[in-house]
Amino acid sequence: MRLYTQTSSKRPFAQRWDRILPLLLWSSTHVAAISLNLDDPQSIKTAASTAAYGMMKYYTGNDTGGTPGNLPAPYFWWEAGAAFGAMLDYYYYTGDSTYNAVVTQALLAQTGPNNDYMTPNQTKTEGNDDQGFWGMAAMSAAEQNFPNPPADQPQWLALAQAVFNSQAIRWDMTSCGGGLKWQIFTFNNGYNYKNSISNGVFFNMAARLAVYTGNQTYADWAEKSWDWINAVGLMSPQYAIFDGSDDTLNCSQLNHIRWSYNSGVFLLGAANMYKFTNNSDKWQQRVEGLLNATDVFFSPPGGNVMFESACETNGKCDTDQLSFKAYLARWMAATTKVAPFTTDFIMPKLRASAQAAAAQCTGAPDGATCGTKWTNNGQWDGTFGVGQQMSALEVIQSNLITNTSGPVTNSTGGTSKGDPSAGTISTSPMGLPTSQISTGDKAGAGLLTALSLVGFIGGIWWIID
């Protein structure tokens, strides 16, 4: 995942005439929208199918010459992992197996030589958060009893454990009293940034692995990472989650921008810790605090329709940020199954957001293309892309959560096989022999992230102006 700068903000699609021309020819009288009756499960499934098809049209990994698991430019690798997480949810909610083979192929194709999502095709740019989104997809596959891979292939639970273990090794005590750095490679600028999403993903996976396996060690790591994020100030006493901090300053200065997915990733982790600790008061209070702090992401403030408050109103969301609502919706819905006391708070927001999202999916060329803004009273805002489709998909299908039995564990029907030692044998930070990381890779990565960091330092305030 890249730093968020004004210079990196682009339209969430390639400038291709085969996509743009139909928009120019589309008449404003052709308005269809995604039909959605939230009181009818079949209507929700049909609406989710439409949104899922719209998202998967962007995927080229199964085309001739394509790389399975990768999305085309301008989408980064992490968002592909997030998108396949959405498709896991799609099968979980709807039972429609249309995309299962493609999802399985993608999730296995990107595992890397040590089966820990340290894949050679990402040697220049992979960060802890990037790896973590693929790991969380594997975790979801285990929790949802998604069909297991062939026996000679890495298994979902083992993949999630490998990601967790490889990140636990990277817990950095040289600055800020601990925490994960954003970047994995020392030669990447951004290596000195400790951010909430990297640490939130680690916390999220630790808590979910604790519940799935019953292993106290994972819960201990979840407690440790929660304590660290609070001690360093990236979580406020009011449970606001801030973006990150520079560890060369010992995390003494914070980037106070708030993103919806940061709140969501900690929410689901805390909800799982509530379940693991037998519904403890401590974790219930934390879940409630995180939920109350999500009000900043609903319009009007404290209302029920989700929006990305840091960039949506000023039109400056970049390609990454256009997908963030998908993860808040995903993790809010999942929270209700492990912390049922949250249902009455969460479901009205998911219902209102789903209805608003579906109503604005009126874009060209099919009359069902989704835009960014759900607060436009059903009017498509003219944007489209993977992030927009994924966000609509997740918030729509999340309204089927009440019809699911919830995540399984290894003692309640889970069938995925684990490997507690997975991810502990990497021979370099990327899980690759050092000889496979070339000087050219290092130089290219340094250039890419140097440009990002320059933009970050110079342009960080544009988002919240």
Side-chain angles (χ1 to χ4, degrees), residues 169-367:
I169 293 170
R170 300 185 200 121
W171 187 265
D172 173 47
M173 293 299 297
T174 65
S175 64
C176 308
L180 284 178
K181 291 173 176 284
W182 170 43
Q183 290 293 324
I184 296 170
F185 274 159
T186 59
F187 58 76
N188 271 336
N189 285 313
Y191 182 75
N192 294 323
Y193 194 63
K194 291 189 174 179
N195 61 352
S196 291
I197 192 58
S198 294
N199 287 279
V201 167
F202 182 70
F203 166 72
N204 180 295
M205 292 192 66
R208 292 162 70 182
L209 283 166
V211 170
Y212 192 98
T213 67
N215 189 323
Q216 180 65 42
T217 300
Y218 295 120
D220 291 344
W221 270 107
E223 292 272 9
K224 182 175 183 176
S225 56
W226 175 276
D227 290 346
W228 179 82
I229 206 84
N230 278 272
V232 81
L234 288 175
M235 182 184 294
S236 78
Q238 293 75 40
Y239 298 91
I241 312 294
F242 306 125
D243 187 74
S245 186
D246 185 344
D247 71 1
T248 64
L249 302 176
N250 203 36
C251 297
S252 60
Q253 298 180 15
L254 304 179
N255 171 3
H256 285 92
I257 294 174
R258 297 173 63 183
W259 300 108
S260 62
Y261 75 159
N262 281 330
S263 287
V265 78
F266 279 96
L267 173 65
L268 181 57
N272 273 273
M273 288 301 292
Y274 168 79
K275 180 173 183 177
F276 184 81
T277 57
N278 297 314
N279 307 342
S280 68
D281 290 340
K282 177 178 76 172
W283 283 103
Q284 178 170 342
Q285 179 182 357
R286 291 170 174 180
V287 170
E288 290 172 345
L290 287 164
L291 272 180
N292 289 333
T294 64
D295 272 356
V296 71
F297 305 115
F298 290 87
S299 180
N304 285 337
V305 177
M306 195 181 297
F307 79 119
E308 196 61 49
S309 55
C311 64
E312 193 171 305
T313 54
N314 61 20
K316 293 180 178 178
C317 296
D318 72 10
T319 302
D320 286 358
Q321 296 151 12
L322 291 167
S323 71
F324 287 178
K325 289 183 293 187
Y327 320 128
L328 180 58
R330 175 188 301 177
W331 294 323
M332 288 183 80
T335 291
T336 66
K337 304 307 290 188
V338 288
F341 72 87
T342 63
T343 301
D344 289 345
F345 182 97
I346 288 174
M347 291 313 298
K349 294 182 181 296
L350 293 181
R351 284 178 64 90
S353 295
Q355 202 74 68
Q360 59 82 46
C361 291
T362 62
D366 55 2

Side-chain angles (χ1 to χ4, degrees), residues 298-457:
F298 290 87
S299 180
N304 285 337
V305 177
M306 195 181 297
F307 79 119
E308 196 61 49
S309 55
C311 64
E312 193 171 305
T313 54
N314 61 20
K316 293 180 178 178
C317 296
D318 72 10
T319 302
D320 286 358
Q321 296 151 12
L322 291 167
S323 71
F324 287 178
K325 289 183 293 187
Y327 320 128
L328 180 58
R330 175 188 301 177
W331 294 323
M332 288 183 80
T335 291
T336 66
K337 304 307 290 188
V338 288
F341 72 87
T342 63
T343 301
D344 289 345
F345 182 97
I346 288 174
M347 291 313 298
K349 294 182 181 296
L350 293 181
R351 284 178 64 90
S353 295
Q355 202 74 68
Q360 59 82 46
C361 291
T362 62
D366 55 2
T369 294
C370 304
T372 301
K373 296 180 179 180
W374 303 345
T375 54
N376 276 359
N377 298 316
Q379 181 179 352
W380 179 51
D381 62 9
T383 69
F384 58 92
V386 172
Q388 290 92 329
Q389 289 297 135
M390 190 188 343
S391 295
L393 169 62
E394 283 284 26
V395 78
I396 289 169
Q397 65 190 11
S398 69
N399 282 273
L400 292 166
I401 191 68
T402 56
N403 298 332
T404 70
S405 57
V408 297
T409 70
N410 62 8
S411 61
T412 62
T415 61
S416 188
K417 294 182 179 179
D419 178 2
S421 65
T424 62
I425 60 171
S426 295
T427 54
S428 79
M430 281 296 296
L432 299 170
T434 305
S435 61
Q436 293 185 27
I437 306 172
S438 70
T439 302
D441 286 336
K442 295 180 180 180
L447 176 61
L448 287 172
T449 54
L451 292 173
S452 293
L453 192 64
V454 168
F456 173 67
I457 294 171

Side-chain angles (χ1 to χ4, degrees), residues 4 6 9 30 32 67 77 84 144 149 157 177 233 237 289 350 356 367 414 423 441 445:
Y4 308 125
Q6 187 172 22
S9 182
H30 289 75
T67 302
W77 180 70
F84 290 113
Q144 296 169 4
L157 178 59
L350 293 181
D441 286 336

Side-chain angles (χ1 to χ4, degrees), residues 10-33:
K10 299 178 181 178
R11 286 292 189 186
F13 52 88
Q15 297 296 320
R16 291 173 49 188
W17 283 107
D18 61 340
R19 291 182 180 176
I20 296 174
L21 187 58
L23 298 178
L24 300 179
L25 299 177
W26 184 256
S27 167
S28 61
T29 62
H30 289 75
V31 177

Side-chain angles (χ1 to χ4, degrees), residues 41-53:
Q42 187 54 52
S43 174
I44 302 173
K45 291 179 181 181
T46 300
S49 175
T50 301
Y53 176 74

